[in-house]
Every structure is written in structure tokens, then in C-alpha cells.
Amino acid sequence: MNVPHGQDERYEKDGRYERDELYERLKTFEGRASSTAGVGKDLVNEPMIRHWCEAMGDANPAYDGPDAIAPPTMLQAWTMGGLSGHSARSGAYDELSGLLDGDGYTSIVATDCEQEYLRPLRPGDRITFRGVIESVSARKTTKLGTGYFITTRMDIWADGEPAGTHRFRVLKYAPAASRTPTRTPSRTSTRTPSRTPSRTPSRTPKAGRPRPVINRDNAGFWEGVDAHRLLIQRCGGCGELRFPWLPGCGGCGSPEWDTVEASGAGTVYSYVVMHHPPFPAFDPPYAVGLIELAEGVRMVSNVIGVPHDEVRIGMPVQLEFLRVDEELELPVFRPEGSMARSGSQARPEGEVAG
């Protein structure tokens, strides 16, 4: 929306610009603390660095050995409070969210984050941090609905020295009254690759499942899912397979690519069990796995058909497609032989794919 110069505090309605009194109130939150000053629960340490590198498949020698540093992208990890959180919390962000909720902007979606690295982090560093509400945008209209972008900034220190900055941006919005569904599946039945028996869950989820964000870079993947095919990109320059889908090759830079269909076989490379926070459409606890496909790439998806506390690293799994509602189907993974052991169908839990 193009707003006349100097009219940031107004919005368009019926061809006229009206004063946005809510925005004026939201702007007063800029500069207020989003969290009180905090201290990382752990010193920068080698075990967490190792676990991160193993999960990410990052074998950079700079992250190992006597002079190891932490991967820069772990910056936020050292500030996180875990399931118990941090004891001190600022009320300003909750007040800001409550103000938007009260005006009907009840939905929220994370849009992006930015990190700036000022110095390497090494084992033994003590992390301190402080968060601030950096900015609130004027009212914007998006495909999701109309709302306000909120940017928070976290400044991070290591042993008292500036170490980096983490900016996180969300959109608090009122959902559009009517939207065309993101995609309409071309199939109405649940089936799996030919070597895996079909399994169709019978339970209806309690609430609508979040929809994947589909754009020009990944639309082909979801078209494959509609046809019950798990497609992996293959670089047209160097032949390297990649997942998730990207517009170009990270190895050689070529924008040319085609696809290969995954066999459906894989193993659990890593996993987490989701307990908190609760979401209406999901039934915790449930297992979310990082699956290494037989073709060598990895993807995040659910591990179903087995109790969450029986999922193990290295467990062989097999692809199937799980319908979660009338409009959405997802690729998930089931341990090999789990149906034979249980003799019954597992109910869908917290389906994730990407």
C-alpha cells in the first residue's frame, strides 16, 4: 500500500486515508524491553556444539579440536531457556500482544530473522543478553490478512564483550475473511509407494492444520506430494542432490535442475519429542524426526506408528502419505514393520513435513 509522504500513521479506507490510532499506541512500545536482561543457562560448551554439528551435518574443522569455536548460527541457542524458560520476563511484549489481540489482530506468523556476528564464541564463554522491541510497522495488508510487523532485537554479549545481534520479526494480523486454499490435492485417497501397504487414519484433527508456504521455488515438491511422489532436486550442473528445494545449487551455483523420485526408504538421523507449547491442531507428545533418505539428503517429518518414546536414532523408516484433513496430505515416515508389530493403525498426531 502506498501511503502519502508523512502519513505513516494513517491507513486507506474506502479511498480515503484515516488516522490509525492503534498504530500510534503501538509505536509507544518501541524501545521498551521485550525481555529483561538475562544470563545463558549454560556456558558455551563442546557437547552442545558437537550435537548441533551432528544434527546439521556440518563437519567444518573450525568447530572441533582445542581451538574450536561455536558455529555462528548457534548465537540464539545460547540464550534459550529450554522448557522451564527464564525466570525474569518483561511485560511490555505481552502488553503489546494483548493490545493487538483486543483489536482483533489475534493471529501471528513468524516472517524472518536476521543475525549479526561480532566475535567468535568459544567454549567457556558466559553469555548475557537483553531484548528490546525495536520497531512496529504501519498497518500492512498481506495475503494472510491485515496487521502489523513487530521486530524485536536481542543484543548478546560474551564475557562482557559484544558478540552479536539477533532480530526476529513477526506479523500480528487479522485473518482475511475469505481466502482461496493454498492448494487443492489432486487425490482424495491415501496411498503409499507401491512397496508399502496403504494406511489411512480415521481420526479427524481437532483444529485446522497449519498450511505449508508454497512459492515458485518449492511448488514442484508439493505437486509431487499431491501425486504421492517424494521429489528431490538434482543440480543440472554438478548433479548434487539437495533438499529442501532451492532456486540454485549451493555447491556450484547453477540455477538448472531436475528431480529424482525418492525410494521412500530412510533412517532416523535425529529427532525431538514435542511436549510444549501446545497447539490446538496437534496432540503432544509426538516425535518429529530428521530423516536421512536412502538418496543421502535429509528432511524433517513426523515419525508415526510407534510410541514417541520408542523412536531411536538409526531406526529404519519408510515413507507414506498421510491425509490430515480434506485439503492437506503430508509425507511422513513409519518404522519398518511397525504395522506388523502393532496390528492396528496409528492415529495421526503432530504432522510436520518440510
Side-chain angles (χ1 to χ4, degrees):
M1 179 181 71
N2 293 322
V3 179
H5 180 69
Q7 301 293 315
D8 289 346
E9 297 177 5
R10 302 190 177 201
Y11 64 91
E12 187 177 14
K13 182 179 181 180
D14 299 328
R16 304 187 312 273
Y17 285 97
E18 296 189 357
R19 192 170 190 84
D20 189 347
E21 295 181 359
L22 175 61
Y23 177 59
E24 294 176 5
R25 297 170 66 190
L26 298 176
K27 291 289 285 183
T28 66
F29 285 86
E30 291 184 349
R32 295 178 63 181
S34 59
S35 63
T36 56
V39 179
K41 288 197 168 182
D42 298 285
L43 300 178
V44 177
N45 63 85
E46 293 177 356
M48 287 177 64
I49 293 173
R50 186 180 73 252
H51 295 163
W52 175 284
C53 291
E54 288 178 353
M56 297 297 180
D58 193 338
N60 192 319
Y63 308 146
D64 190 22
D67 298 320
I69 62 172
T73 49
M74 286 188 74
L75 182 67
Q76 186 191 20
W78 308 110
T79 71
M80 301 178 80
L83 291 178
S84 59
H86 289 287
S87 58
R89 179 181 174 91
S90 167
Y93 195 87
D94 291 339
E95 186 181 345
L96 173 62
S97 295
L99 186 61
L100 286 161
D101 289 342
D103 249 49
Y105 300 94
T106 55
S107 296
I108 188 169
V109 61
T111 61
D112 63 291
C113 72
E114 304 170 11
Q115 291 187 339
E116 180 182 7
Y117 312 117
L118 302 178
R119 87 148 172 83
L121 299 180
R122 294 182 170 82
D125 284 344
R126 169 65 70 186
I127 300 300
T128 55
F129 56 91
R130 183 177 61 218
V132 64
I133 301 170
E134 187 172 61
S135 66
V136 181
S137 78
R139 195 165 77 159
K140 305 291 183 181
T141 298
T142 72
K143 287 187 177 181
L144 291 175
T146 299
Y148 300 83
F149 288 93
I150 303 170
T151 303
T152 56
R153 187 189 76 243
M154 180 177 289
D155 297 313
I156 300 167
W157 293 266
D159 291 337
E161 298 179 7
T165 300
H166 176 85
R167 285 181 173 84
F168 190 71
R169 189 171 293 109
V170 301
L171 172 65
K172 277 284 281 181
Y173 66 98
S178 177
R179 299 209 321 270
T180 302
T182 304
R183 65 189 182 98
T184 302
S186 58
R187 312 278 178 144
T188 56
S189 62
T190 298
R191 64 181 178 84
T192 62
S194 57
R195 63 196 186 100
T196 304
S198 175
R199 302 159 185 128
T200 306
S202 58
R203 200 173 72 91
T204 301
K206 294 182 295 183
R209 190 72 56 181
R211 266 40 192 169
V213 176
I214 299 177
N215 54 42
R216 63 183 181 182
D217 294 327
N218 65 9
F221 170 78
W222 291 106
E223 290 169 2
V225 170
D226 281 344
H228 294 104
R229 302 173 68 211
L230 184 63
L231 299 179
I232 303 169
Q233 278 185 312
R234 177 171 57 192
C235 176
C238 64
E240 181 178 351
L241 300 181
R242 64 176 183 261
F243 193 92
W245 282 38
L246 296 170
C249 179
C252 71
S254 172
E256 304 299 326
W257 56 271
D258 61 5
T259 62
V260 291
E261 182 175 358
S263 67
T267 57
V268 176
Y269 186 83
S270 184
Y271 70 96
V272 296
V273 175
M274 297 296 296
H275 295 271
H276 185 81
F279 296 100
F282 299 85
D283 293 316
Y286 55 90
V288 179
L290 180 63
I291 308 300
E292 184 165 82
L293 301 178
E295 291 75 16
V297 299
R298 299 173 189 150
M299 67 177 291
V300 175
S301 186
N302 278 105
V303 180
I304 67 169
V306 63
H308 66 274
D309 55 358
E310 293 183 14
V311 176
R312 296 290 183 269
I313 291 175
M315 174 183 284
V317 291
Q318 179 63 43
L319 169 72
E320 66 177 70
F321 293 92
L322 183 66
R323 180 167 296 287
V324 296
D325 59 37
E326 294 180 356
E327 297 179 350
L328 182 62
E329 204 164 12
L330 295 173
V332 298
F333 290 85
R334 183 184 295 272
E336 289 186 354
S338 65
M339 287 299 292
R341 290 196 303 272
S342 66
S344 63
Q345 294 177 351
R347 61 183 178 86
E349 295 176 332
E351 290 79 27
V352 178

